Amino acid sequence: MKSLIKYSWTLLILVAMSISSCMEDFLERYPLDAMTDATYFTSPNDLKVMANGFYRLLPRYHFQGQGNGAQNNQLDANTDLQVGTAPSGFLFQRGATGEAPATDGSWNSSFSWIRQINYLINNARRVAVNPESNQYTGEAYFFRAWVYMNLLDRYGDVPIYTEVLTTDSERLYKARDPRSDVARFIIQDLDSAIANLGWKNSTFAASGRVTKEAALVMKARAALFEGTWQRYHGAKSTPFAVTGQDGSEFLRMVEPTIQQLIDRQGATLFTNGGPFNEPYNQLFSQQDASSSQGVFLYRIYNVNEIVGHNFYDLVVDNAQAVTWKLVSSYLDKEGIPQHLSGLPIDYTSLNSLGENLDPRFRQTIWTPDRGPQQQIPGYRTTPTPLPLRYPQLNNVFSNNFTSTGLRRWKGAIMDENEWRNGSTDEVLIRYAEGLLALAEAKAILGTINQGDLDKTVNLLRARVGMTPMSLAEINTWPIQYSTKDGFDPSESNIVNEIRRERVVELAFEGHRQRDLKRWAIFHDVINEWKPKGAHFQEFVDYYNDPSRLAADGINPANTGVWQLRMGENFSTFNDGSINPFFRNPDFREGGEGFFIEPDRVYLSPIPRNEIEVYADAGYELKQNPGWF
């Protein structure tokens, strides 16, 4: 690998050891003048210091516009659940040629990380075996699996390396290993991590370090991902199918993995609803996630250690807005699909949706019955241009506006002390994902029963007071599932309903695109899709009512408000819903909408420079389908 050639043995140690962590107890450093291959790795602390550097691999979503990874409010960007203020180029590829880029930071940096992690794993045996050294060795296995999971997701087949290569090693030009072998390698590493790591808040798995629970969820994630990829791409004979594999090998791994977690965690979930009595919402807003039941991996922020963030509240209007696709995914509060519901749901009223749908709707999406935003307990006292009972639909007052009229509420941080000074920890891996993985795997294999639902889906529903899922009832629903909505008409009702449950429970946590790809329906969902927002008349009625404006502290004479309330700057679809991209003809009624190439979009291209480096040395690095 070109990226692997960059590092000598000495540079590897200096880079890895000089990385400081963002956690209070990760600030220890080994003296630089003592870092030599001959004297290092003599104590568990040596392993710890090097392992600290691997935590840079974890995303930092709370850093808006900074750090590595997306912002917290963009985790489901480039999916059907949220959109920006203009069509995403990633989803609007009509006319694209399929030429691979010359370079790709993800490919290069991943193999650089793997070399560093391999160095720790290969030298860990020099340290006496005890619970402390086991913890840091387990972390290394976890992070190698983390990197390879991202490579598998992005590229499919990739070379597997377990040794620390030198610049003249022939194995630098190793061929790509089949994705099934990569998945097995990931699971093998996670098994090693599970065997070595401590449980959350144990002596050496405290203060934001990787835990045994997190490794168990990661193992289920990897097994479910590869199992369903093989099942669905194989059934559809896509260019990404794995010949001779149906996924059952991996799907059968999920239940024993998560059962081990259930045996430990049981029915214990985070239930502190905070000032809003909304535990699902506030799970993501805790300053100290060490006490958040069901949060197994989290990133620590502590302004006292100069590792705060500039993230705050999530209620302000933002370029990433919720789509109606997510709204339509919720069942009603009695557990019935909306089109079969007998409840008086008024789709022109956000408050009616909040009253009649799954309680997670109201804990995920803002509803105006909460009142003027600046009157919410904990909202910062600095005056805002508008109290914002309803989202801004254009950029009259700032560049931030909610193009669909659907504003996110999940994870709201309502503490004025957090403004530009944040200490709220970041949830990265949690119990819910593991429980839903078990339910999905068993549903696909045809072995799921009501007891399985009660200890997985219904445990999550009980936290918010949602009607339990009944297997017998679901099987009687006269419902035709559509691939356009993320379902599979060839699958059973229960498989599709667990898919729905993933959408609702895991919204905005970064799972949606990976789910659509492993289900082999990413292009079905995206192609021809034109995002819709809330019902526009509700906004018009509010901003045209001087008495309602005055009651909320808005001066009706404010020219900005008058501009905002008028409809000539907006366009709706025929059903009255807001069209966030009305300026683009492709997204109006009759337009072609989004387009992604079905035979290419499921895997990223291998960078051309890497292929050329292999060729110059007399080896072949194959390109992914659809790319050249």
Side-chain angles (χ1 to χ4, degrees):
M1 295 292 151
K2 182 178 180 182
S3 60
L4 295 178
I5 301 174
K6 298 178 181 178
Y7 296 91
S8 68
W9 288 82
T10 303
L11 180 59
L12 170 65
I13 299 175
L14 290 174
V15 170
M17 300 287 80
S18 63
I19 297 170
S20 62
S21 168
C22 292
M23 297 178 229
E24 180 178 358
D25 66 342
F26 285 15
L27 299 177
E28 302 172 58
R29 291 188 177 185
Y30 200 87
L32 293 179
D33 60 359
M35 292 180 190
T36 67
D37 192 32
T39 62
Y40 211 67
F41 297 115
T42 60
S43 72
N45 189 66
D46 294 344
L47 298 176
K48 177 181 181 181
V49 174
M50 189 170 187
N52 289 347
F54 304 153
Y55 282 80
R56 293 180 63 205
L57 285 162
L58 299 180
R60 300 182 69 176
Y61 300 130
H62 278 347
F63 269 70
Q64 295 186 3
Q66 302 180 36
N68 57 340
Q71 297 178 26
N72 183 280
N73 53 21
Q74 295 181 2
L75 297 187
D76 278 335
N78 293 323
T79 74
D80 55 334
L81 303 187
Q82 63 181 105
V83 294
T85 57
S88 162
F90 179 75
L91 301 181
F92 200 32
Q93 301 176 2
R94 194 172 283 108
T97 65
E99 181 180 7
T103 60
D104 180 343
S106 295
W107 180 274
N108 288 340
S109 63
S110 293
F111 286 105
S112 298
W113 277 113
I114 288 168
R115 187 171 193 268
Q116 294 182 44
I117 297 168
N118 285 345
Y119 187 79
L120 187 152
I121 291 174
N122 290 345
N123 283 280
R125 64 179 64 93
R126 296 165 56 184
V127 179
V129 175
N130 57 49
E132 183 176 9
S133 62
N134 286 348
Q135 170 68 28
Y136 309 127
T137 303
E139 291 178 16
Y141 280 113
F142 175 90
F143 281 114
R144 190 166 68 180
W146 179 281
V147 176
Y148 267 108
M149 183 66 202
N150 289 333
L151 285 169
L152 177 66
D153 179 27
R154 189 174 178 88
Y155 304 108
D157 301 352
V158 291
I160 297 173
Y161 292 101
T162 59
E163 69 271 46
V164 182
L165 302 178
T166 60
T167 56
D168 59 354
S169 173
E170 185 174 335
R171 279 177 57 78
L172 283 169
Y173 305 99
K174 186 179 186 295
R176 298 168 67 186
D177 288 291
R179 62 174 302 131
S180 293
D181 290 346
V182 177
R184 293 186 189 99
F185 178 70
I186 291 169
I187 289 167
Q188 176 183 312
D189 265 2
L190 290 168
D191 281 338
S192 296
I194 292 164
N196 283 279
L197 292 167
W199 296 104
K200 180 182 176 181
N201 292 334
S202 59
T203 302
F204 303 111
S207 301
R209 300 203 81 96
V210 176
T211 65
K212 191 185 297 288
E213 294 98 327
L216 286 164
V217 175
M218 271 292 293
K219 180 181 176 181
R221 177 189 295 183
L224 183 68
F225 176 77
E226 186 60 18
T228 51
W229 183 286
Q230 292 182 8
R231 176 182 175 87
Y232 295 115
H233 283 277
K236 295 185 176 183
S237 299
T238 76
F240 315 99
V242 181
T243 304
Q245 302 290 326
D246 64 1
S248 58
E249 170 196 352
F250 292 96
L251 291 172
R252 285 194 295 267
M253 297 178 185
V254 177
E255 182 179 13
T257 299
I258 298 304
Q259 187 58 53
Q260 184 178 349
L261 185 59
I262 292 173
D263 290 343
R264 170 78 180 189
Q265 186 73 16
T268 305
L269 293 172
F270 177 84
T271 57
N272 180 4
F276 315 106
N277 192 28
E278 297 181 348
Y280 171 75
N281 177 301
Q282 290 299 292
L283 170 66
F284 306 91
S285 306
Q286 302 305 301
Q287 288 198 356
D288 182 6
S290 66
S291 58
S292 297
Q293 293 286 354
V295 174
F296 299 146
L297 182 62
Y298 56 96
R299 178 182 280 280
I300 288 179
Y301 290 92
N302 188 330
V303 293
N304 295 325
E305 300 296 335
I306 322 179
V307 286
H309 53 75
N310 64 353
F311 182 82
Y312 176 72
D313 77 37
L314 264 182
V315 192
V316 295
D317 293 312
N318 193 280
Q320 286 292 324
V322 183
T323 68
W324 194 262
K325 182 70 76 69
L326 177 59
V327 175
S328 64
S329 297
Y330 289 91
L331 300 173
D332 73 14
K333 64 185 180 183
E334 295 179 348
I336 305 297
Q338 292 180 34
H339 71 282
L340 300 176
S341 174
L343 298 180
I345 305 173
D346 180 359
Y347 294 98
T348 68
S349 166
L350 293 175
N351 289 337
S352 177
L353 294 171
E355 293 167 1
N356 290 288
L357 299 185
D358 182 327
R360 283 171 292 189
F361 171 87
R362 195 172 186 275
Q363 295 190 38
T364 302
I365 298 174
W366 172 270
T367 53
D369 57 2
R370 296 183 183 278
Q373 183 179 351
Q374 63 188 23
Q375 296 179 17
I376 297 175
Y379 190 75
R380 64 186 171 93
T381 55
T382 305
T384 54
L386 289 176
L388 301 178
R389 177 187 289 269
Y390 281 83
Q392 297 180 84
L393 298 179
N394 65 17
N395 58 349
V396 170
F397 294 99
S398 70
N399 291 326
N400 292 327
F401 60 99
T402 301
S403 60
T404 65
L406 296 165
R407 182 196 288 147
R408 175 176 162 181
W409 172 249
K410 180 177 177 178
I413 302 173
M414 304 307 294
D415 181 350
E416 61 181 316
N417 296 320
E418 289 278 293
W419 176 247
R420 304 287 182 185
N421 198 35
S423 291
T424 298
D425 288 346
E426 194 149 54
V427 177
L428 299 176
I429 294 180
R430 64 188 184 99
Y431 196 20
E433 180 189 349
L435 295 177
L436 293 174
L438 186 154
E440 183 179 352
K442 294 204 68 176
I444 292 171
L445 293 170
T447 61
I448 196 167
N449 57 45
Q450 186 62 45
D452 295 320
L453 292 178
D454 290 341
K455 67 182 182 182
T456 58
V457 173
N458 290 337
L459 178 62
L460 300 173
R461 286 189 176 193
R463 170 163 50 191
V464 296
M466 173 63 176
T467 302
M469 178 181 284
S470 166
L471 181 60
E473 181 181 352
I474 285 173
N475 287 335
T476 67
W477 285 351
I479 183 170
Q480 181 63 41
Y481 294 98
S482 168
T483 56
K484 298 299 294 181
D485 295 323
F487 300 115
D488 188 335
S490 68
E491 285 284 17
S492 63
N493 285 14
I494 186 58
V495 169
N496 283 302
E497 286 307 311
I498 291 171
R499 287 191 183 189
R500 185 198 304 275
E501 203 71 20
R502 282 187 66 89
V503 175
V504 169
E505 177 67 27
L506 302 178
F508 310 131
E509 295 179 47
H511 296 276
R512 182 61 169 173
Q513 187 181 119
R514 181 177 284 172
D515 284 350
L516 295 177
K517 286 184 176 182
R518 65 184 176 88
W519 294 332
I521 56 171
F522 190 29
H523 67 285
D524 292 306
V525 170
I526 297 301
N527 286 348
E528 301 181 1
W529 176 54
K530 295 183 283 290
K532 293 184 177 183
H535 199 272
F536 182 58
Q537 191 62 43
E538 180 174 4
F539 293 75
V540 175
D541 292 345
Y542 175 76
Y543 284 109
N544 275 302
D545 188 334
S547 63
R548 294 179 68 186
L549 295 177
D552 283 351
I554 301 175
N555 182 358
N558 185 309
T559 56
V561 175
W562 284 98
Q563 185 176 349
L564 178 64
R565 76 189 179 100
M566 300 302 290
E568 62 264 22
N569 291 328
F570 300 93
S571 177
T572 65
F573 289 101
N574 292 339
D575 61 4
S577 60
I578 294 171
N579 181 350
F581 301 152
F582 69 91
R583 292 181 177 85
N584 189 317
D586 281 315
F587 293 90
R588 298 174 190 161
E589 294 283 3
E592 294 185 279
F594 281 116
F595 175 80
I596 54 179
E597 176 52 58
D599 294 337
R600 182 172 65 230
V601 74
Y602 286 86
L603 292 176
S604 296
I606 306 300
R608 294 199 317 274
N609 284 358
E610 300 297 328
I611 294 175
E612 292 168 3
V613 167
Y614 267 62
D616 290 344
Y619 298 88
E620 181 184 16
L621 183 63
K622 292 184 178 180
Q623 183 56 274
N624 272 329
W627 299 96
F628 62 90

